[in-house]
């Protein structure tokens, strides 16, 4: 089975003049190499395709794949993560991970929270501020938490995200509107433990791999697992498996949100406990980072005793099962990706 790989390389965008922050969500060659090695170790043939323009060009030249392993983040707008899956839909080529509709919904954190709240999943009260005047209309108790409505990798999240007064709220919303050119999501601040839950599978076959608690070191920006804390996680953050009752409760909330949103194959859901100890949905990552060393999902897997190769294999099993393309190919014994796993165990 031939699997194409679609992705956005960070170095390409830096070369085009994008800033480090603007290119933060894009991937490194190490990620592509790790995914490709893991797929090949399972017996798949692979072909690197690259970003949307390369995909479009290849398709127009008649190139096809049995499936595409898509981690492309895309460019511009709330539907940027949907661009590759939507194009593949036109050519009736299945892809790994969520479809265009789900990726579009999940990128807009306000729309996402409407969906999960409607499904009965606990999530903090919120408002979406579209313009500066809208900040004055927010009627939620302080403290509040403010972030861009459609960014990942903690972009736009930092110490100033937690606001305690109307003046701080207005300033934080104006900053998001001006710097990121998009609405601000304002939520009731959740004061409890923060966890991220790894999930593989689709629908009723989805399962939580485990819950990873995010612990802030003394050098970290407290209360905000944001861009700087994530970029400097070795000095600022600690990660512990949450195997207690709270971890199990968080995993169930995450799984409920995953199914409510129609997410597929693999990813992460972030939750945080409120003042009563109830895990609340924060956001979902249907295109979770897959760097073999630095990304939260592989880190969680290593702590659970699961190798990178096994993670990619479980993701592919889900994609093959739901698309009816058969079972995993017979693979040679191979330890691809496991060297990286050993490095962080």
């Amino acid at each position: 089975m031939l699997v194409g790989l679609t992705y956005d390389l960070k170095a390409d965008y830096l070369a085009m003049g994008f800033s480090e922050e603007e290119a933060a969500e894009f991937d490194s060659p190490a990620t592509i190499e790790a995914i490709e090695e893991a797929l090949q170790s399972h017996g798949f043939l692979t072909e690197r395709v690259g970003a949307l323009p390369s995909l479009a060009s290849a398709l127009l030249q008649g190139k096809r794949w049995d499936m595409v392993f898509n981690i492309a983040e895309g460019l511009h707008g709330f539907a940027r993560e949907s661009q590759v899956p939507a194009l593949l839909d036109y050519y009736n080529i299945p892809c790994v991970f969520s479809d265009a509709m789900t990726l579009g919904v999940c990128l807009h954190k306000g729309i996402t929270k409407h969906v999960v709240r409607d499904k009965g999943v606990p999530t903090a009260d919120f408002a979406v501020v579209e313009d500066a005047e809208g900040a004055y209309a927010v009627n939620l108790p302080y403290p509040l938490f403010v972030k861009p409505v459609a960014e990942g990798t903690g972009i736009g999240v930092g110490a100033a995200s937690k606001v305690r007064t109307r003046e701080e709220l207005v300033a934080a919303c104006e900053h998001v509107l001006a710097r990121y050119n998009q609405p601000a999501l304002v939520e009731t601040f959740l004061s409890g433990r923060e966890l991220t839950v790894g999930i593989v599978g689709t629908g009723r076959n989805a399962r939580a791999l485990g819950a990873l608690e995010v612990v802030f070191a003394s050098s970290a920006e407290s209360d905000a697992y944001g861009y700087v804390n994530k970029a400097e996680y070795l000095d600022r953050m600690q990660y512990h498996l949450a195997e207690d009752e709270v971890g199990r409760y968080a995993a169930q909330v995450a799984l409920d949100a995953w199914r409510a949103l129609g997410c597929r194959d693999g990813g992460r859901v972030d939750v945080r406990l409120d003042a009563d100890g109830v895990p609340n949905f924060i956001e979902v990552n249907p295109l979770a980072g897959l760097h073999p060393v630095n990304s939260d999902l592989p880190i969680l897997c290593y702590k659970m005793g699961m190798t990178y190769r096994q993670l990619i294999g479980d993701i592919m099993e889900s994609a093959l099962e739901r698309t009816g393309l058969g079972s995993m190919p017979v693979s040679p014994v191979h330890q691809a990706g496991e060297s990286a796993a050993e490095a962080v165990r």
Side-chain angles (χ1 to χ4, degrees):
M1 177 178 290
L2 178 60
V3 178
L5 281 76
T6 49
Y7 49 84
D8 290 291
L9 278 182
K10 180 178 179 178
D12 292 342
Y13 291 91
L14 292 176
M16 287 188 282
F18 286 73
S19 68
E20 282 284 345
E21 185 182 54
E22 291 169 333
E25 290 196 88
F26 301 139
D27 287 295
S28 70
T31 300
I32 311 308
E33 291 166 6
I35 293 171
E36 188 167 41
E37 287 183 10
L39 289 171
Q40 291 173 352
S41 78
H42 283 289
F44 295 101
L45 301 175
T46 61
E47 183 172 280
R48 298 189 187 192
V49 181
L52 181 66
S54 297
L55 173 65
S57 176
L59 289 168
L60 289 172
Q61 294 175 35
K63 187 65 185 178
R64 301 292 185 268
W65 308 269
D66 298 302
M67 180 173 285
V68 168
F69 195 102
N70 171 51
I71 59 169
E73 300 283 348
L75 273 181
H76 308 308
F78 295 141
R80 59 183 184 269
E81 292 184 352
S82 307
Q83 293 164 350
V84 164
L87 182 57
L88 291 171
D89 277 348
Y90 180 87
Y91 287 91
N92 198 27
I93 297 173
C95 70
V96 181
F97 298 121
S98 296
D99 64 14
M101 181 192 72
T102 295
L103 291 177
V105 168
C106 292
L107 186 60
H108 192 296
K109 303 179 198 301
I111 300 298
T112 307
K113 284 169 70 71
H114 277 294
V115 173
V116 300
R117 186 174 65 181
D118 186 65
K119 289 286 188 177
V121 178
T123 191
D125 290 337
F126 67 99
V128 175
V129 174
E130 305 276 356
D131 51 40
E133 290 73 21
Y136 292 95
V138 173
N139 184 26
L140 295 169
Y142 291 92
L144 298 170
F145 200 81
V146 181
K147 59 186 176 183
V149 80
E151 294 293 345
T153 319
I155 293 173
V157 175
S161 295
K162 183 180 178 181
V163 298
R164 300 166 181 79
T165 65
R166 177 72 66 186
E167 291 72 22
E168 290 180 355
L169 170 63
V170 171
C173 288
E174 288 179 342
H175 172 72
V176 168
L177 291 163
R179 183 177 178 90
Y180 301 103
N181 194 32
Q182 61 184 271
L185 178 70
V186 181
E187 300 171 283
T188 298
F189 176 72
L190 299 167
S191 59
R193 296 162 62 185
E194 182 163 341
L195 305 98
T196 187
V197 178
I199 294 177
V200 294
T202 304
R204 68 183 60 184
N205 294 326
R207 70 182 194 280
L209 297 172
L212 190 70
E213 183 170 0
V214 177
V215 180
F216 297 87
S218 58
S219 57
E221 291 180 324
S222 61
D223 297 326
Y225 189 38
Y227 176 63
V228 175
N229 282 341
K230 290 187 176 187
E232 301 177 12
Y233 74 97
L234 290 175
D235 296 324
R236 293 170 174 256
M237 307 304 302
Q238 298 175 357
Y239 304 99
H240 305 297
L241 282 181
E243 298 178 297
D244 56 0
E245 184 177 352
V246 168
R248 291 188 289 275
Y249 193 179
Q252 186 58 57
V253 168
L255 203 52
D256 290 344
W258 183 263
R259 290 169 173 154
L261 292 162
C263 297
R264 308 190 310 201
D265 300 335
R268 290 191 299 107
V269 177
D270 298 336
V271 300
R272 190 158 185 164
L273 274 60
D274 63 19
D276 296 322
V278 176
N280 279 237
F281 169 86
I282 301 177
E283 60 187 61
V284 62
N285 300 274
L287 288 180
L290 288 173
H291 189 283
V293 175
N294 299 329
S295 293
D296 288 351
L297 181 57
I299 290 174
L300 167 63
C301 290
Y302 304 152
K303 288 184 175 293
M304 298 289 297
M306 184 178 191
T307 67
Y308 191 88
R309 177 177 182 271
Q310 289 172 322
L311 170 62
I312 299 300
D314 282 5
I315 290 170
M316 288 301 296
E317 278 192 346
S318 171
L320 292 172
E321 180 178 359
R322 67 174 170 75
T323 56
L325 288 178
S327 56
M328 296 282 284
V330 178
S331 63
V333 176
H334 196 284
Q335 299 301 311
E338 297 187 1
S339 58
E342 294 294 338
V344 297
R345 280 183 185 174

